[in-house]
Amino acid sequence: MGKYEDLLPEELRQNLKKIATISKRLRKERELSFYGAEDFIPLEEYTAEKALRAINDVKFVVNTIARAFKVC
Protein backbone atom coordinates (compact mmCIF):
# COMPACT_ATOMS: atom_id res chain seq x y z
CA MET A 1 0.00 0.00 0.00
CA GLY A 2 2.54 2.55 1.06
CA LYS A 3 6.26 2.94 1.32
CA TYR A 4 6.16 2.86 5.15
CA GLU A 5 3.85 -0.13 5.45
CA ASP A 6 6.69 -2.38 6.60
CA LEU A 7 7.16 -0.17 9.69
CA LEU A 8 3.67 -0.99 10.97
CA PRO A 9 2.94 -3.82 13.40
CA GLU A 10 1.92 -7.08 11.71
CA GLU A 11 -1.69 -6.80 12.96
CA LEU A 12 -2.08 -3.50 11.10
CA ARG A 13 -0.32 -4.71 7.95
CA GLN A 14 -2.66 -7.69 7.74
CA ASN A 15 -5.72 -5.41 7.90
CA LEU A 16 -4.40 -2.31 6.14
CA LYS A 17 -6.55 -2.63 3.02
CA LYS A 18 -9.75 -3.03 5.04
CA ILE A 19 -8.84 -0.14 7.35
CA ALA A 20 -8.07 2.09 4.35
CA THR A 21 -11.39 1.17 2.70
CA ILE A 22 -13.34 1.93 5.88
CA SER A 23 -11.49 5.21 6.38
CA LYS A 24 -12.10 6.35 2.82
CA ARG A 25 -15.82 5.52 2.94
CA LEU A 26 -16.41 7.19 6.30
CA ARG A 27 -14.41 10.28 5.30
CA LYS A 28 -16.54 10.73 2.19
CA GLU A 29 -19.72 10.46 4.24
CA ARG A 30 -18.64 12.70 7.12
CA GLU A 31 -19.30 16.13 5.65
CA LEU A 32 -22.66 15.20 4.18
CA SER A 33 -23.75 13.46 7.36
CA PHE A 34 -22.84 16.49 9.48
CA TYR A 35 -24.06 19.31 7.27
CA GLY A 36 -26.21 17.84 4.54
CA ALA A 37 -26.76 19.67 1.25
CA GLU A 38 -29.68 21.19 -0.60
CA ASP A 39 -30.57 17.83 -2.10
CA PHE A 40 -29.26 15.67 0.75
CA ILE A 41 -30.98 15.59 4.15
CA PRO A 42 -29.03 13.32 6.52
CA LEU A 43 -32.06 12.19 8.52
CA GLU A 44 -33.73 11.05 5.31
CA GLU A 45 -30.66 9.43 3.75
CA TYR A 46 -29.13 7.41 6.57
CA THR A 47 -30.77 4.32 7.97
CA ALA A 48 -30.19 2.48 11.23
CA GLU A 49 -28.54 -0.25 9.15
CA LYS A 50 -26.01 2.22 7.69
CA ALA A 51 -25.33 3.61 11.16
CA LEU A 52 -24.74 0.13 12.54
CA ARG A 53 -22.34 -0.64 9.70
CA ALA A 54 -20.36 2.52 10.46
CA ILE A 55 -20.25 1.67 14.18
CA ASN A 56 -19.09 -1.88 13.50
CA ASP A 57 -16.45 -0.67 11.06
CA VAL A 58 -15.08 1.81 13.59
CA LYS A 59 -15.05 -0.88 16.29
CA PHE A 60 -13.03 -3.10 13.94
CA VAL A 61 -10.47 -0.35 13.32
CA VAL A 62 -10.15 0.58 17.02
CA ASN A 63 -9.85 -3.05 18.11
CA THR A 64 -7.26 -3.79 15.42
CA ILE A 65 -5.15 -0.83 16.49
CA ALA A 66 -5.50 -1.76 20.17
CA ARG A 67 -4.33 -5.32 19.44
CA ALA A 68 -1.46 -4.08 17.28
CA PHE A 69 -0.16 -1.86 20.06
CA LYS A 70 -1.30 -4.20 22.86
CA VAL A 71 -3.52 -1.55 24.44
CA CYS A 72 -6.31 -3.95 25.40
Side-chain angles (χ1 to χ4, degrees):
M1 284 205 72
K3 68 180 189 178
Y4 298 110
E5 182 179 339
D6 59 326
L7 299 175
L8 295 171
E10 181 63 26
E11 181 77 24
L12 289 180
R13 279 185 276 151
Q14 290 176 356
N15 293 290
L16 200 54
K17 239 179 210 177
K18 183 174 180 177
I19 291 170
T21 300
I22 290 169
S23 177
K24 185 176 182 178
R25 184 176 44 77
L26 292 178
R27 182 201 54 80
K28 286 171 72 175
E29 294 289 331
R30 184 182 184 277
E31 186 175 334
L32 281 175
S33 68
F34 275 35
Y35 307 111
E38 283 186 36
D39 61 343
F40 187 92
I41 301 167
L43 290 174
E44 293 177 2
E45 297 291 333
Y46 293 112
T47 63
E49 182 179 298
K50 287 181 181 180
L52 187 57
R53 179 180 179 201
I55 290 167
N56 288 332
D57 284 346
V58 170
K59 283 181 181 179
F60 170 80
V61 172
V62 169
N63 289 334
T64 302
I65 292 169
R67 282 192 310 274
F69 293 100
K70 297 178 182 19
V71 177
C72 55

